[in-house]
Coordinates of all heavy atoms in Angstrom, one line a residue:
M8 N 0.8 -1.2 0.0 CA 0.0 0.0 0.0 C 0.9 1.3 0.0 O 0.4 2.3 -0.3 CB -0.9 0.0 1.3 CG -2.1 -0.9 1.1 SD -3.0 -0.5 -0.5 CE -4.4 0.4 0.0
R9 N 2.1 1.2 0.4 CA 3.0 2.4 0.4 C 3.5 2.6 -0.9 O 3.8 3.8 -1.3 CB 4.0 2.1 1.4 CG 4.8 3.4 1.7 CD 5.8 3.2 2.9 NE 6.9 4.1 2.6 CZ 8.1 3.8 2.7 NH1 8.5 2.6 2.9 NH2 9.1 4.6 2.4
I10 N 3.7 1.6 -1.8 CA 4.3 1.7 -3.0 C 3.4 2.1 -4.1 O 3.7 2.8 -5.0 CB 5.1 0.4 -3.4 CG1 6.2 0.1 -2.4 CG2 5.7 0.5 -4.8 CD1 7.3 1.1 -2.2
L11 N 2.2 1.6 -4.0 CA 1.1 1.9 -5.0 C 0.9 3.4 -5.2 O 0.9 3.8 -6.4 CB -0.2 1.3 -4.5 CG -1.4 1.4 -5.5 CD1 -1.1 0.7 -6.9 CD2 -2.6 0.8 -4.8
P12 N 0.7 4.3 -4.2 CA 0.6 5.7 -4.5 C 1.9 6.2 -5.1 O 1.7 7.2 -5.9 CB 0.3 6.3 -3.2 CG 0.6 5.4 -2.1 CD 0.6 4.0 -2.8
L13 N 3.0 5.7 -4.7 CA 4.3 6.2 -5.3 C 4.3 6.1 -6.8 O 4.6 7.0 -7.5 CB 5.4 5.6 -4.6 CG 6.8 6.1 -4.9 CD1 7.0 7.5 -4.4 CD2 7.9 5.2 -4.4
V14 N 3.8 4.9 -7.2 CA 3.9 4.7 -8.7 C 2.7 5.4 -9.4 O 2.9 6.0 -10.4 CB 3.7 3.1 -8.9 CG1 3.5 2.8 -10.4 CG2 5.0 2.4 -8.4
A15 N 1.5 5.4 -8.8 CA 0.4 6.0 -9.4 C 0.4 7.5 -9.4 O -0.1 8.1 -10.4 CB -0.9 5.5 -8.7
L16 N 1.0 8.1 -8.4 CA 0.9 9.6 -8.3 C 2.2 10.3 -8.7 O 2.2 11.6 -8.7 CB 0.6 10.0 -6.8 CG -0.7 9.5 -6.3 CD1 -0.8 9.9 -4.9 CD2 -1.8 10.1 -7.1
S17 N 3.2 9.7 -9.1 CA 4.4 10.3 -9.6 C 4.2 11.2 -10.8 O 4.8 12.4 -10.8 CB 5.5 9.2 -10.0 OG 5.9 8.6 -8.8
P18 N 3.4 10.9 -11.8 CA 3.2 11.9 -13.0 C 2.5 13.2 -12.4 O 2.8 14.3 -12.8 CB 2.3 11.1 -13.9 CG 2.6 9.7 -13.6 CD 2.9 9.6 -12.1
L19 N 1.6 12.9 -11.5 CA 0.9 14.1 -10.9 C 1.7 15.0 -10.0 O 1.5 16.1 -10.0 CB -0.4 13.7 -10.1 CG -1.5 13.0 -11.0 CD1 -2.6 12.4 -10.1 CD2 -2.1 13.9 -12.0
S20 N 2.6 14.3 -9.3 CA 3.4 15.1 -8.4 C 4.4 15.9 -9.1 O 4.8 17.0 -8.7 CB 4.1 14.1 -7.4 OG 5.1 13.2 -8.2
G21 N 4.9 15.5 -10.3 CA 5.7 16.3 -11.2 C 5.0 17.5 -11.7 O 5.6 18.7 -11.7
V22 N 3.8 17.4 -12.1 CA 3.0 18.5 -12.5 C 2.8 19.5 -11.4 O 2.9 20.7 -11.5 CB 1.7 18.0 -13.1 CG1 0.7 19.2 -13.4 CG2 1.9 17.3 -14.4
A23 N 2.4 19.0 -10.2 CA 2.2 19.9 -9.0 C 3.5 20.6 -8.7 O 3.4 21.7 -8.3 CB 1.7 19.0 -7.9
A24 N 4.6 19.9 -8.8 CA 5.9 20.6 -8.4 C 6.2 21.7 -9.3 O 6.8 22.7 -9.0 CB 7.0 19.6 -8.4
D25 N 5.8 21.6 -10.6 CA 6.1 22.6 -11.6 C 5.1 23.8 -11.5 O 5.3 24.9 -11.9 CB 6.0 22.0 -13.0 CG 7.2 21.2 -13.3 OD1 8.2 21.3 -12.6 OD2 7.1 20.3 -14.3
R26 N 3.8 23.4 -11.1 CA 2.8 24.4 -11.1 C 2.6 25.2 -9.8 O 2.3 26.4 -9.8 CB 1.4 23.7 -11.4 CG 0.3 24.6 -11.7 CD -0.9 23.9 -12.1 NE -0.6 23.5 -13.5 CZ -1.5 23.0 -14.3 NH1 -2.7 22.7 -13.9 NH2 -1.2 22.6 -15.6
Y27 N 2.9 24.6 -8.6 CA 2.7 25.3 -7.4 C 4.0 25.5 -6.7 O 5.0 25.0 -7.0 CB 1.7 24.5 -6.5 CG 0.4 24.2 -7.2 CD1 0.1 23.0 -7.7 CD2 -0.5 25.2 -7.3 CE1 -1.1 22.7 -8.4 CE2 -1.8 25.0 -8.0 CZ -2.0 23.8 -8.5 OH -3.2 23.6 -9.1
D28 N 3.9 26.3 -5.6 CA 5.1 26.6 -4.8 C 5.6 25.3 -4.1 O 4.9 24.6 -3.4 CB 4.8 27.6 -3.7 CG 5.9 28.0 -2.9 OD1 7.1 28.1 -3.4 OD2 5.7 28.3 -1.6
R29 N 6.8 25.0 -4.4 CA 7.4 23.8 -4.0 C 7.5 23.7 -2.5 O 7.4 22.6 -1.8 CB 8.8 23.5 -4.7 CG 8.6 23.3 -6.2 CD 9.9 23.2 -7.0 NE 9.6 23.1 -8.3 CZ 10.3 23.5 -9.3 NH1 11.4 24.3 -9.0 NH2 9.9 23.4 -10.5
R30 N 7.9 24.8 -1.9 CA 8.0 24.8 -0.4 C 6.7 24.5 0.3 O 6.7 23.8 1.3 CB 8.6 26.2 0.1 CG 10.1 26.4 -0.4 CD 10.4 27.8 -0.1 NE 9.6 28.7 -0.9 CZ 9.6 30.0 -0.8 NH1 10.3 30.6 0.0 NH2 8.7 30.7 -1.6
T31 N 5.6 25.0 -0.3 CA 4.3 24.8 0.3 C 3.9 23.3 0.1 O 3.4 22.7 1.0 CB 3.2 25.7 -0.5 OG1 3.7 27.0 -0.3 CG2 1.9 25.4 0.1
I32 N 4.3 22.7 -1.0 CA 4.0 21.3 -1.2 C 4.7 20.4 -0.2 O 4.1 19.5 0.4 CB 4.3 20.9 -2.7 CG1 3.4 21.5 -3.7 CG2 4.2 19.3 -2.8 CD1 3.8 21.3 -5.0
V33 N 6.0 20.8 0.0 CA 6.7 19.9 1.0 C 6.2 20.1 2.4 O 6.0 19.2 3.2 CB 8.3 20.3 1.0 CG1 9.0 19.7 2.1 CG2 8.9 19.9 -0.4
R34 N 5.8 21.4 2.8 CA 5.2 21.6 4.1 C 3.9 20.8 4.3 O 3.6 20.3 5.4 CB 4.9 23.1 4.3 CG 6.1 23.9 4.5 CD 5.8 25.4 4.7 NE 7.0 26.2 4.7 CZ 7.2 27.3 4.0 NH1 6.3 27.8 3.3 NH2 8.3 27.9 4.1
I35 N 3.0 20.9 3.3 CA 1.8 20.2 3.4 C 2.0 18.6 3.5 O 1.4 18.0 4.3 CB 0.9 20.5 2.2 CG1 0.4 21.9 2.2 CG2 -0.3 19.5 2.1 CD1 -0.3 22.5 1.0
C36 N 3.0 18.2 2.7 CA 3.2 16.7 2.7 C 3.8 16.3 4.1 O 3.4 15.3 4.7 CB 4.4 16.4 1.7 SG 3.6 16.4 0.0
N37 N 4.7 17.1 4.7 CA 5.1 16.9 6.0 C 4.1 16.9 7.0 O 4.0 16.0 8.0 CB 6.3 17.8 6.4 CG 7.6 17.5 5.7 OD1 7.9 16.4 5.4 ND2 8.4 18.5 5.4
L38 N 3.2 17.9 7.0 CA 2.1 18.0 7.9 C 1.1 16.8 7.8 O 0.8 16.2 8.8 CB 1.3 19.3 7.7 CG 0.0 19.5 8.5 CD1 0.4 19.7 10.0 CD2 -0.7 20.6 8.0
V39 N 0.7 16.4 6.6 CA -0.2 15.3 6.4 C 0.5 14.0 6.8 O -0.2 13.1 7.5 CB -0.8 15.2 4.9 CG1 -1.5 14.0 4.7 CG2 -1.5 16.4 4.6
C40 N 1.7 13.9 6.4 CA 2.5 12.6 6.9 C 2.6 12.5 8.4 O 2.5 11.4 9.0 CB 3.8 12.6 6.1 SG 4.6 10.9 6.2
G41 N 2.8 13.6 9.0 CA 3.0 13.6 10.5 C 1.6 13.3 11.1 O 1.6 12.5 12.1
L42 N 0.5 13.8 10.6 CA -0.8 13.6 11.1 C -1.1 12.0 10.9 O -1.7 11.4 11.8 CB -1.8 14.5 10.5 CG -1.8 15.9 10.9 CD1 -2.8 16.7 10.1 CD2 -2.0 16.1 12.3
A43 N -0.8 11.6 9.7 CA -1.0 10.1 9.5 C -0.2 9.3 10.4 O -0.7 8.2 10.9 CB -0.7 9.8 8.0
A44 N 1.0 9.6 10.7 CA 1.9 8.8 11.6 C 1.3 8.9 13.0 O 1.4 7.9 13.7 CB 3.3 9.3 11.5
A45 N 0.9 10.0 13.4 CA 0.3 10.2 14.8 C -1.1 9.3 14.8 O -1.3 8.7 15.9 CB -0.1 11.7 15.0
T46 N -1.8 9.4 13.8 CA -3.0 8.6 13.8 C -2.7 7.0 13.9 O -3.3 6.3 14.7 CB -3.8 8.8 12.5 OG1 -4.2 10.1 12.4 CG2 -5.0 7.9 12.4
L47 N -1.7 6.7 13.2 CA -1.2 5.3 13.3 C -0.7 5.0 14.7 O -1.1 3.9 15.2 CB -0.1 5.1 12.3 CG 0.4 3.7 12.0 CD1 -0.7 2.8 11.5 CD2 1.5 3.7 11.0
A48 N 0.0 5.8 15.3 CA 0.6 5.6 16.7 C -0.6 5.5 17.7 O -0.6 4.6 18.5 CB 1.6 6.7 17.0
V49 N -1.4 6.5 17.7 CA -2.6 6.5 18.6 C -3.5 5.3 18.4 O -3.9 4.7 19.4 CB -3.3 7.9 18.6 CG1 -4.5 7.8 19.4 CG2 -2.3 9.0 19.0
G50 N -3.9 5.1 17.1 CA -4.7 4.0 16.9 C -4.2 2.7 17.2 O -4.9 1.8 17.7
T51 N -2.9 2.5 17.1 CA -2.3 1.3 17.4 C -2.2 1.1 19.0 O -2.4 0.0 19.6 CB -0.9 1.1 16.8 OG1 -1.0 1.3 15.4 CG2 -0.2 -0.1 17.2
A52 N -1.9 2.2 19.6 CA -1.7 2.2 21.1 C -3.0 1.9 21.8 O -3.1 1.1 22.8 CB -1.2 3.5 21.6
F53 N -4.1 2.3 21.2 CA -5.5 2.0 21.8 C -6.2 0.9 21.2 O -7.4 0.7 21.5 CB -6.3 3.3 21.8 CG -5.8 4.4 22.7 CD1 -5.2 5.5 22.2 CD2 -5.9 4.3 24.0 CE1 -4.7 6.5 23.0 CE2 -5.4 5.3 24.9 CZ -4.8 6.4 24.4
G54 N -5.5 0.2 20.2 CA -6.2 -0.9 19.6 C -7.4 -0.6 18.7 O -8.3 -1.3 18.5
A55 N -7.4 0.7 18.2 CA -8.5 1.1 17.4 C -8.3 1.0 15.9 O -9.2 1.5 15.2 CB -8.8 2.6 17.8
M56 N -7.1 0.5 15.5 CA -6.9 0.3 14.1 C -7.4 -0.9 13.5 O -7.0 -2.0 13.9 CB -5.4 0.5 13.8 CG -4.7 1.8 14.1 SD -5.3 3.1 13.1 CE -4.5 2.8 11.6
S57 N -8.4 -1.0 12.5 CA -8.7 -2.0 11.8 C -7.7 -2.2 10.7 O -6.9 -1.4 10.4 CB -10.1 -1.9 11.3 OG -10.1 -0.9 10.2
R58 N -7.8 -3.3 10.1 CA -7.0 -3.6 8.9 C -7.1 -2.6 7.8 O -6.2 -2.1 7.2 CB -7.2 -5.0 8.4 CG -6.2 -5.4 7.3 CD -6.5 -6.8 6.8 NE -7.7 -6.8 5.9 CZ -7.6 -7.3 4.7 NH1 -6.6 -8.1 4.4 NH2 -8.6 -7.2 3.8
E59 N -8.4 -2.2 7.5 CA -8.6 -1.3 6.5 C -8.1 0.1 6.8 O -7.6 0.9 6.0 CB -10.1 -1.2 6.2 CG -10.7 -2.4 5.6 CD -10.9 -3.6 6.5 OE1 -10.9 -3.4 7.7 OE2 -11.0 -4.7 6.0
S60 N -8.3 0.6 8.1 CA -7.8 1.8 8.5 C -6.3 1.9 8.5 O -5.6 2.9 8.1 CB -8.3 2.3 9.9 OG -8.0 1.4 10.9
L61 N -5.6 0.8 8.9 CA -4.2 0.7 8.8 C -3.7 0.8 7.3 O -2.8 1.7 7.0 CB -3.7 -0.6 9.4 CG -2.3 -0.9 9.3 CD1 -1.4 0.0 10.1 CD2 -1.9 -2.3 9.6
L62 N -4.3 0.2 6.4 CA -3.9 0.2 5.0 C -4.2 1.6 4.5 O -3.4 2.1 3.7 CB -4.6 -0.8 4.2 CG -4.2 -2.3 4.5 CD1 -5.0 -3.3 3.7 CD2 -2.7 -2.4 4.2
A63 N -5.3 2.3 4.8 CA -5.6 3.5 4.4 C -4.6 4.5 4.9 O -4.1 5.5 4.2 CB -7.0 4.0 4.8
T64 N -4.2 4.4 6.1 CA -3.2 5.3 6.7 C -1.8 5.2 6.0 O -1.1 6.1 5.6 CB -3.0 5.1 8.2 OG1 -4.3 5.2 8.8 CG2 -2.0 6.1 8.9
V65 N -1.5 3.9 5.7 CA -0.1 3.7 5.0 C -0.3 4.2 3.6 O 0.7 4.7 3.0 CB 0.2 2.2 5.0 CG1 1.4 1.8 4.2 CG2 0.4 1.7 6.5
F66 N -1.5 4.1 2.9 CA -1.6 4.7 1.6 C -1.4 6.2 1.7 O -0.8 6.8 0.7 CB -3.1 4.4 1.1 CG -3.3 4.8 -0.3 CD1 -2.9 4.0 -1.4 CD2 -3.9 6.0 -0.6 CE1 -3.1 4.4 -2.7 CE2 -4.1 6.4 -1.9 CZ -3.7 5.6 -2.9
V67 N -2.0 6.9 2.6 CA -1.9 8.3 2.8 C -0.4 8.7 3.0 O 0.1 9.6 2.3 CB -2.7 8.8 4.0 CG1 -2.3 10.3 4.2 CG2 -4.2 8.7 3.6
I68 N 0.3 8.0 3.8 CA 1.8 8.2 3.9 C 2.5 8.0 2.6 O 3.4 8.8 2.3 CB 2.4 7.3 5.0 CG1 1.8 7.7 6.4 CG2 3.9 7.3 5.1 CD1 2.1 6.8 7.5
G69 N 2.1 7.0 1.9 CA 2.8 6.7 0.5 C 2.5 7.8 -0.4 O 3.4 8.3 -1.2
A70 N 1.2 8.4 -0.4 CA 0.9 9.5 -1.3 C 1.7 10.7 -0.9 O 2.2 11.4 -1.8 CB -0.6 9.8 -1.2
C71 N 1.9 11.0 0.4 CA 2.7 12.1 0.8 C 4.1 12.0 0.3 O 4.7 13.0 -0.1 CB 2.7 12.3 2.3 SG 1.1 12.8 3.0
R72 N 4.6 10.8 0.5 CA 6.0 10.5 0.0 C 6.2 10.7 -1.4 O 7.2 11.2 -1.9 CB 6.5 9.1 0.4 CG 6.5 8.9 1.9 CD 7.7 9.5 2.5 NE 7.6 9.2 4.0 CZ 8.4 9.7 4.8 NH1 9.4 10.5 4.5 NH2 8.3 9.4 6.1
A73 N 5.2 10.3 -2.2 CA 5.2 10.5 -3.7 C 5.4 12.0 -4.1 O 6.2 12.4 -4.9 CB 4.0 9.9 -4.3
F74 N 4.6 12.8 -3.4 CA 4.6 14.2 -3.7 C 6.0 14.9 -3.2 O 6.5 15.7 -3.8 CB 3.4 15.0 -3.2 CG 2.2 14.9 -4.2 CD1 1.3 13.8 -4.1 CD2 2.0 15.8 -5.1 CE1 0.3 13.7 -4.9 CE2 0.9 15.7 -6.1 CZ 0.1 14.7 -5.9
E75 N 6.3 14.5 -2.0 CA 7.4 15.1 -1.3 C 8.7 14.7 -2.0 O 9.6 15.6 -2.2 CB 7.4 14.6 0.1 CG 8.6 15.2 1.0 CD 8.7 14.7 2.4 OE1 8.2 13.6 2.7 OE2 9.1 15.5 3.2
Q76 N 9.0 13.5 -2.4 CA 10.2 13.1 -3.1 C 10.4 13.8 -4.4 O 11.4 14.3 -4.7 CB 10.2 11.6 -3.3 CG 10.5 10.8 -2.1 CD 10.5 9.3 -2.3 OE1 10.1 8.9 -3.4 NE2 10.9 8.5 -1.3
T77 N 9.3 13.9 -5.2 CA 9.4 14.6 -6.5 C 9.7 16.1 -6.2 O 10.5 16.6 -6.9 CB 8.1 14.4 -7.3 OG1 7.9 13.0 -7.4 CG2 8.2 15.0 -8.6
T78 N 9.0 16.7 -5.3 CA 9.1 18.1 -5.1 C 10.5 18.4 -4.5 O 11.1 19.4 -5.0 CB 8.0 18.6 -4.1 OG1 6.7 18.2 -4.7 CG2 8.0 20.1 -4.0
L79 N 11.0 17.6 -3.6 CA 12.3 17.9 -3.1 C 13.4 17.8 -4.1 O 14.4 18.5 -4.1 CB 12.6 16.9 -1.9 CG 11.9 17.2 -0.6 CD1 12.2 16.2 0.5 CD2 12.4 18.6 -0.1
T80 N 13.2 16.8 -5.0 CA 14.2 16.7 -6.1 C 14.2 17.9 -7.0 O 15.3 18.3 -7.5 CB 13.8 15.4 -7.0 OG1 13.8 14.3 -6.1 CG2 14.8 15.2 -8.1
T81 N 13.1 18.5 -7.2 CA 13.1 19.7 -8.1 C 13.4 21.0 -7.3 O 13.7 22.0 -7.8 CB 11.8 19.9 -8.8 OG1 10.7 20.0 -7.8 CG2 11.5 18.7 -9.7
L82 N 13.2 20.9 -6.0 CA 13.5 22.2 -5.1 C 14.9 22.3 -4.9 O 15.4 23.5 -4.9 CB 12.7 21.9 -3.8 CG 12.8 23.0 -2.8 CD1 12.1 24.3 -3.3 CD2 12.2 22.6 -1.5
L83 N 15.6 21.4 -4.7 CA 17.0 21.5 -4.3 C 17.9 22.3 -5.3 O 18.7 23.2 -4.8 CB 17.7 20.1 -4.2 CG 18.9 19.9 -3.3 CD1 18.6 20.5 -2.0 CD2 19.3 18.4 -3.2
P84 N 17.8 22.1 -6.6 CA 18.7 22.9 -7.5 C 18.4 24.4 -7.4 O 19.3 25.2 -7.8 CB 18.4 22.4 -8.9 CG 17.9 21.1 -8.7 CD 17.2 21.1 -7.3
G85 N 17.2 24.8 -6.9 CA 16.9 26.2 -6.8 C 17.4 26.9 -5.6 O 17.4 28.1 -5.5
I86 N 17.8 26.0 -4.6 CA 18.3 26.7 -3.4 C 19.8 26.4 -3.0 O 20.3 27.0 -2.1 CB 17.4 26.2 -2.1 CG1 17.4 24.7 -2.0 CG2 16.0 26.8 -2.3 CD1 16.7 24.3 -0.8
V87 N 20.4 25.6 -3.8 CA 21.7 25.2 -3.5 C 22.6 25.7 -4.7 O 22.3 25.5 -5.9 CB 21.9 23.7 -3.4 CG1 23.4 23.2 -3.2 CG2 21.0 23.3 -2.1
P88 N 23.8 26.3 -4.4 CA 24.7 26.6 -5.5 C 25.1 25.4 -6.4 O 25.2 24.3 -5.8 CB 25.9 27.2 -4.8 CG 25.5 27.6 -3.4 CD 24.3 26.7 -3.1
V89 N 25.4 25.6 -7.6 CA 25.7 24.5 -8.5 C 26.9 23.7 -8.1 O 26.9 22.4 -8.2 CB 25.9 25.0 -10.0 CG1 26.3 23.9 -10.9 CG2 24.6 25.7 -10.4
S90 N 27.9 24.3 -7.5 CA 29.1 23.7 -7.0 C 28.8 22.7 -5.8 O 29.5 21.7 -5.7 CB 30.2 24.7 -6.6 OG 29.6 25.4 -5.5
L91 N 27.7 22.9 -5.1 CA 27.4 22.1 -3.9 C 26.3 21.1 -4.2 O 25.9 20.4 -3.3 CB 27.0 22.9 -2.7 CG 28.1 23.9 -2.2 CD1 27.6 24.7 -1.1 CD2 29.3 23.0 -1.7
L92 N 25.7 21.2 -5.4 CA 24.5 20.3 -5.7 C 24.8 18.8 -5.5 O 23.9 18.1 -4.9 CB 24.0 20.6 -7.1 CG 22.7 20.0 -7.5 CD1 21.6 20.5 -6.6 CD2 22.4 20.4 -8.9
P93 N 25.9 18.3 -6.0 CA 26.0 16.8 -5.8 C 26.1 16.4 -4.3 O 25.4 15.4 -3.9 CB 27.4 16.5 -6.4 CG 27.6 17.5 -7.4 CD 27.0 18.8 -6.8
R94 N 26.8 17.2 -3.5 CA 26.8 17.0 -2.0 C 25.4 17.1 -1.4 O 24.9 16.4 -0.5 CB 27.8 17.8 -1.3 CG 29.2 17.5 -1.7 CD 30.2 18.4 -1.1 NE 30.2 18.2 0.3 CZ 30.8 19.1 1.2 NH1 31.6 20.1 0.7 NH2 30.9 18.9 2.5
A95 N 24.6 18.2 -1.8 CA 23.3 18.4 -1.3 C 22.4 17.3 -1.7 O 21.5 16.9 -0.9 CB 22.8 19.8 -1.8
T96 N 22.5 16.8 -2.9 CA 21.6 15.7 -3.3 C 21.9 14.5 -2.5 O 20.9 13.8 -2.1 CB 21.9 15.5 -4.8 OG1 21.6 16.6 -5.6 CG2 21.0 14.4 -5.4
A97 N 23.1 14.2 -2.3 CA 23.5 13.0 -1.4 C 23.0 13.2 0.0 O 22.4 12.3 0.6 CB 25.0 12.8 -1.4
A98 N 23.1 14.4 0.5 CA 22.6 14.7 1.9 C 21.0 14.5 2.0 O 20.5 14.0 2.9 CB 23.0 16.1 2.3
A99 N 20.4 15.0 1.0 CA 18.9 15.0 0.9 C 18.4 13.5 0.8 O 17.5 13.1 1.5 CB 18.4 15.8 -0.2
A100 N 19.1 12.7 0.0 CA 18.8 11.3 -0.2 C 19.1 10.6 1.2 O 18.2 9.7 1.6 CB 19.6 10.7 -1.3
S101 N 20.1 10.9 1.8 CA 20.4 10.3 3.1 C 19.3 10.7 4.2 O 18.9 9.9 5.0 CB 21.7 10.7 3.7 OG 22.8 10.2 2.7
A102 N 19.0 11.9 4.2 CA 18.0 12.4 5.1 C 16.6 11.7 4.9 O 15.9 11.4 5.8 CB 17.8 13.9 5.0
T103 N 16.2 11.5 3.7 CA 15.0 10.9 3.2 C 15.0 9.4 3.8 O 14.0 9.0 4.3 CB 14.7 10.9 1.8 OG1 14.7 12.3 1.3 CG2 13.5 10.2 1.4
Q104 N 16.1 8.8 3.6 CA 16.2 7.4 4.1 C 16.1 7.2 5.7 O 15.6 6.3 6.1 CB 17.5 6.7 3.6 CG 17.6 6.5 2.1 CD 16.4 5.6 1.6 OE1 16.1 4.6 2.2 NE2 15.8 6.0 0.5
V105 N 16.7 8.3 6.3 CA 16.6 8.3 7.8 C 15.2 8.5 8.2 O 14.7 7.9 9.1 CB 17.5 9.3 8.4 CG1 17.4 9.5 9.8 CG2 19.1 9.0 8.1

């Protein structure tokens, strides 16, 4: 469920990154992903997560990641000097994995 939105929404996320403010997209993705993770944590702690709600929450996290990854890839060259771009790209990839 986490990979499905990544594959399905990648074309749309590229269009959104080109059309809208990239910083805003990243902020919204972080907010929604954080809320979904909190929902997952609270729902699991209290035993309130059904299988369907768990899968839906993971789907939302995957959708956020799809938009965030594409947007961060296009955002980085606009804020980092060209000479530092390879290092910044590596650092961003490492931060995403963490």
Side-chain angles (χ1 to χ4, degrees):
M8 279 311 255
R9 190 173 150 232
I10 301 299
L11 181 65
L13 189 65
V14 173
L16 296 175
S17 289
L19 295 174
S20 62
V22 172
D25 289 339
R26 188 170 288 186
Y27 302 106
D28 182 35
R29 294 173 181 146
R30 294 171 297 172
T31 303
I32 293 172
V33 171
R34 286 182 190 132
I35 291 170
C36 288
N37 284 328
L38 176 67
V39 172
C40 194
L42 291 173
T46 300
L47 187 61
V49 171
T51 302
F53 291 106
M56 295 292 289
S57 66
R58 187 178 80 129
E59 290 77 18
S60 63
L61 175 69
L62 291 174
T64 305
V65 172
F66 184 87
V67 168
I68 292 171
C71 289
R72 297 283 180 189
F74 278 88
E75 184 180 27
Q76 286 178 351
T77 302
T78 304
L79 283 175
T80 302
T81 59
L82 181 65
L83 203 55
I86 59 175
V87 175
V89 176
S90 61
L91 296 176
L92 189 57
R94 291 177 67 191
T96 302
S101 296
T103 300
Q104 292 300 317
V105 170

